[in-house]
Amino acid sequence: MLREPWQHPSNHAQRKSRFPKCTASPPGVLPEVLGLLVLTYPLLWGLALQLHSAVTGSYVPGTDSIAFVSCLNEQIARDIARAIMDKRLAAYVNILPQSSALYFWKGELEESTEILLLVKTRTSKIGELSNYVRSIHPFEMPEIISLPIDQGNPVYLKWIEENVPRH
């Protein structure tokens, strides 16, 4: 019986694989590599988005944010808004008219009126903005929350970035 050379038993022992043999990695190496990849993924993804944005001129969702800051009255709201703008922590601050609020404070249901600020800024400035507002706000625990801007008028979003310095 004729066999093809690849079927001959003696060729099996002599034939070498084109691929190296898989060997087990030293203990802990694979988890460390995977951990490193998981930790660097957000950074690498962010850099890729920034590069894409720079090349195409498109907006990267989440680059800018809207922060909400509640104030006791209109004068405090104006003072805080002006201080935010003087520090260049925002491109735009809306001062919304008085509204009613219900909330729990020290276990009791409270009702009050407040003025709300809508602060448009870079997402990278939210920490600095929050720290600054807490330092000048008369409330013991001021409301300062933010939401990233996913989409919007590209020209307006670019204007926010142009008017709030990176550093």
Side-chain angles (χ1 to χ4, degrees):
M1 168 166 98
L2 287 174
R3 293 185 179 179
E4 294 293 327
W6 56 269
Q7 290 178 323
H8 196 275
S10 64
N11 284 345
H12 289 290
Q14 296 171 4
R15 190 170 35 159
K16 292 184 179 179
S17 173
R18 290 185 297 221
F19 304 104
K21 279 189 172 182
C22 289
T23 58
S25 61
V29 171
L30 184 58
E32 287 175 5
V33 169
L34 289 175
L36 184 61
L37 287 173
V38 167
L39 291 174
T40 58
Y41 176 79
L43 174 66
L44 295 174
W45 181 250
L47 290 173
L49 285 175
Q50 287 177 0
L51 179 61
H52 179 265
S53 175
V55 170
T56 64
S58 62
Y59 177 73
V60 177
T63 300
D64 302 318
S65 288
I66 297 178
F68 301 86
V69 178
S70 59
C71 300
L72 181 62
N73 59 46
E74 191 170 337
Q75 186 58 52
I76 291 171
R78 286 186 184 285
D79 291 346
I80 291 174
R82 172 76 58 188
I84 289 169
M85 297 302 289
D86 287 345
K87 286 248 185 211
R88 307 263 325 194
L89 293 173
Y92 194 97
V93 178
N94 291 95
I95 302 172
L96 300 184
Q98 184 172 312
S99 62
S100 296
L102 295 170
Y103 54 93
F104 286 102
W105 183 249
K106 298 184 180 180
E108 298 293 323
L109 181 61
E110 301 285 335
E111 188 170 345
S112 69
T113 58
E114 62 186 28
I115 305 294
L116 186 63
L117 302 178
L118 299 182
V119 183
K120 284 81 166 207
T121 189
R122 289 176 180 269
T123 300
S124 63
K125 289 289 193 177
I126 292 295
E128 186 179 349
L129 172 71
S130 179
N131 290 337
Y132 181 66
V133 170
R134 282 197 317 268
S135 76
I136 63 171
H137 203 290
F139 285 175
E140 180 181 334
M141 185 182 63
E143 173 190 3
I144 308 165
I145 57 175
S146 69
L147 298 171
I149 298 172
D150 186 50
Q151 295 180 26
N153 177 353
V155 176
Y156 182 80
L157 297 173
K158 184 175 181 184
W159 174 82
I160 290 175
E161 293 174 34
E162 290 170 352
N163 285 281
V164 180
R166 286 185 190 267
H167 304 293

